[in-house]
């Protein structure tokens, strides 16, 4: 099992914006030094807490500061951008990173973003599908382009001048294109069926109760079968909110019990947004569980993995026992309220937890 990194960067509103950006970049640079295999960044246009409006730009900012970690978007919200912009900017970043780029895509979930982009009543699902088709057509085709759609048309036929390079677009470093991924937040996400049909890779959200993860995998596998692709569990990314400390008391406090815990702040923010949208089902062990029963203490006991090294190892192994193999565990980063504790958690994950997890999984395989 590989170890990856993911942030939905949620920071207190009173923090300096430039400081939080520097902190988020430092987390990715640290992940690179510690050997995390990949790292993803979310984006929203109209959220001062979750304050990265362009995951593509964020990935580009790390090009000269990382050397081995693959960097991904989680996700570019395609309906909000012209496909030509996404195609060319993603190709640029893939070349800057010399193939260390992963393209996560979605349709967008934040309603203030939709309103600001005049898309509250738009068919964003159809826009999403057309956008990615246009992007793939740009990457696989050559000028003169004449790509038609309901929402966007792309042509360079009238102004093509190939002798000096005008009218064509830059192509990705990876051929035919970077790996494409989608993040699933609904317990029984049908989007994973569509993802599987295309042969793209799934990411299961960090706020899903483990009871819902197998249904997500089954939907993805169904889509793969329908599209003629092999459903490879090595391509499945499972994100989790994790905090590791040198002792359980510190882990429980910083990992949620303390009123000033960044994990408590994070879950307060997240549940408030999801409650307003009536989308709390992912946190629940049973979908018929009433919303009032979904307390923060319940979340920390059932969805967050926190503790000393041995306790976190046991939590990850229990997750694996419940859902079976998956390729990459994505550690979900939080605000660095205490930078030393936050850094220490990432270090312990890479240097202590994952080696112990993989050793235990190797013993299981050998015993079978």
């Amino acid at each position: 099992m590989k170890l990856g990194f993911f942030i939905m960067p949620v920071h207190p509103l009173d923090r300096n914006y430039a400081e939080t950006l520097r902190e988020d970049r430092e987390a990715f640079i640290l992940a690179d030094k510690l050997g995390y295999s990949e790292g993803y960044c979310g984006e929203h246009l109209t959220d001062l807490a979750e304050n990265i409006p362009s995951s593509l730009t964020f990935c580009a900012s790390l090009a000269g500061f990382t050397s081995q970690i693959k960097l991904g978007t989680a996700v570019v919200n395609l309906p909000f951008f012209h496909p030509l912009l996404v195609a060319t900017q993603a190709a640029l970043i893939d070349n800057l990173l010399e193939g260390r780029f992963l393209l996560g895509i979605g349709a967008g979930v934040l309603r203030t973003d939709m309103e600001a982009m005049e898309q509250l009543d738009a068919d964003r699902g159809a826009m999403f599908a057309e956008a990615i088709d246009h992007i793939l057509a740009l990457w696989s085709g050559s000028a003169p382009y004449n790509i038609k759609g309901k929402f966007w048309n792309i042509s360079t036929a009238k102004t093509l001048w190939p002798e000096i390079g005008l009218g064509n677009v830059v192509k990705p470093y990876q051929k035919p294109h970077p790996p494409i991924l989608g993040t699933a937040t609904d317990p029984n996400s049908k989007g994973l069926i569509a993802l599987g049909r295309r042969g793209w890779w799934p990411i299961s959200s960090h706020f899903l109760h483990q009871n819902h993860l197998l249904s997500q995998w089954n939907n993805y596998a169904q889509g793969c079968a329908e599209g003629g692709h092999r459903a490879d569990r090595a391509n499945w990314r499972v994100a989790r909110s994790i905090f590791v400390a040198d002792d359980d008391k510190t882990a429980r406090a910083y990992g949620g019990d303390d009123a000033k815990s960044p994990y408590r702040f994070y879950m307060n923010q997240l549940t408030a947004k999801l409650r307003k949208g009536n989308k709390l089902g992912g946190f629940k062990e049973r979908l018929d569980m009433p919303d009032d029963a979904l307390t923060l203490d319940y979340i920390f006991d059932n969805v967050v993995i926190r503790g000393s090294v041995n306790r976190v190892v046991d939590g990850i192994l229990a997750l694996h026992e419940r859902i079976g193999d998956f390729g990459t565990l994505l550690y979900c980063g939080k605000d660095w309220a205490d930078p030393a504790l936050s850094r220490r958690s990432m270090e312990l994950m890479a240097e202590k937890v994952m080696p112990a997890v993989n050793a235990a999984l190797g013993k299981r395989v050998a015993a079978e």
Side-chain angles (χ1 to χ4, degrees):
M1 183 190 302
K2 296 179 180 178
L3 174 63
F5 185 68
F6 167 75
I7 58 168
M8 273 173 51
V10 178
H11 299 287
L13 298 180
D14 59 357
R15 290 200 60 190
N16 177 270
Y17 183 33
E19 181 182 90
T20 62
L21 290 175
R22 183 167 58 251
E23 176 183 298
D24 290 333
R25 293 181 71 254
E26 286 177 3
F28 277 80
I29 294 167
L30 176 61
D32 179 63
K33 291 178 179 177
L34 291 171
Y36 285 63
S37 62
E38 56 196 39
Y40 299 85
C41 171
E43 69 176 35
H44 287 305
L45 297 173
T46 57
D47 190 338
L48 293 180
E50 195 173 338
N51 54 14
I52 293 180
S54 171
S55 54
L56 286 169
T57 301
F58 186 84
C59 288
S61 78
L62 292 164
F65 297 87
T66 59
S67 60
Q68 64 87 26
I69 191 171
K70 295 181 180 179
L71 299 172
T73 57
V75 294
V76 176
N77 297 307
L78 294 183
F80 301 152
F81 304 100
H82 194 289
L84 178 64
L85 296 179
V86 178
T88 53
Q89 290 173 15
L92 166 66
I93 294 167
D94 194 34
N95 280 274
L96 285 173
L97 295 171
E98 296 186 356
R100 290 190 291 119
F101 180 61
L102 302 162
L103 179 62
I105 56 174
V109 296
L110 197 64
R111 288 188 59 78
T112 52
D113 285 355
M114 299 174 202
E115 180 184 5
M117 295 297 295
E118 300 183 286
Q119 292 182 9
L120 273 175
D121 300 316
D123 186 348
R124 290 177 300 103
M127 296 178 75
F128 167 84
E130 181 175 305
I132 190 59
D133 284 343
H134 282 9
I135 291 167
L136 292 174
L138 286 166
W139 284 345
S140 63
S142 57
Y145 297 104
N146 191 21
I147 303 169
K148 300 293 186 181
K150 179 179 179 181
F151 306 101
W152 299 281
N153 296 316
I154 304 172
S155 174
T156 58
K158 294 180 180 178
T159 55
L160 180 67
W161 191 356
E163 291 79 9
I164 64 169
L166 291 180
N168 221 319
V169 302
V170 293
K171 301 296 171 57
Y173 185 92
Q174 300 174 81
K175 305 302 180 189
H177 53 71
I180 297 175
L181 306 94
T183 299
T185 58
D186 292 333
N188 193 32
S189 172
K190 301 302 181 185
L192 285 171
I193 300 176
L195 197 74
R197 287 190 191 121
R198 297 260 198 163
W200 300 338
W201 297 346
I203 301 174
S204 289
S205 171
H206 62 290
F207 58 79
L208 287 168
H209 193 284
Q210 66 176 9
N211 287 358
H212 305 307
L213 294 173
L214 269 181
S215 64
Q216 288 205 334
W217 172 256
N218 290 336
N219 281 354
Y220 175 72
Q222 175 188 331
C224 286
E226 293 174 0
H229 306 285
R230 185 172 74 91
D232 187 351
R233 279 178 171 262
N235 293 330
W236 187 17
R237 276 82 173 158
V238 176
R240 295 285 89 181
S241 286
I242 299 172
F243 178 67
V244 199
D246 290 297
D247 62 89
D248 288 321
K249 181 180 179 180
T250 300
R252 290 192 64 83
Y254 192 76
D257 288 357
D258 193 294
K260 296 182 179 180
S261 160
Y263 287 72
R264 182 164 288 267
F265 170 76
Y266 184 98
M267 292 302 177
N268 259 320
Q269 284 274 331
L270 188 56
T271 53
K273 294 173 182 176
L274 294 173
R275 192 180 303 275
K276 187 171 184 179
N278 195 29
K279 292 184 178 294
L280 288 171
F283 283 110
K284 303 175 182 179
E285 57 186 312
R286 303 182 321 276
L287 292 179
D288 61 355
M289 181 179 169
D291 285 357
D292 291 345
L294 193 67
T295 64
L296 287 179
D297 288 338
Y298 173 90
I299 290 172
F300 293 126
D301 289 340
N302 289 273
V303 181
V304 176
I305 301 175
R306 56 182 177 157
S308 58
V309 168
N310 289 341
R311 190 175 297 274
V312 171
V313 168
D314 289 344
I316 295 170
L317 291 175
L319 173 67
H320 182 273
E321 183 73 21
R322 178 74 178 83
I323 69 173
D325 288 336
F326 55 96
T328 305
L329 174 68
L330 297 181
Y331 175 104
C332 186
K334 306 292 188 286
D335 182 83
W336 282 10
D338 184 322
L341 287 178
S342 295
R343 285 176 171 272
R344 181 62 174 158
S345 178
M346 291 181 64
E347 291 167 356
L348 289 172
M349 273 298 298
E351 297 170 354
K352 302 292 185 181
V353 172
M354 291 309 294
V357 167
N358 283 316
L361 293 178
K363 290 179 181 179
R364 286 184 185 178
V365 172
E368 291 176 355

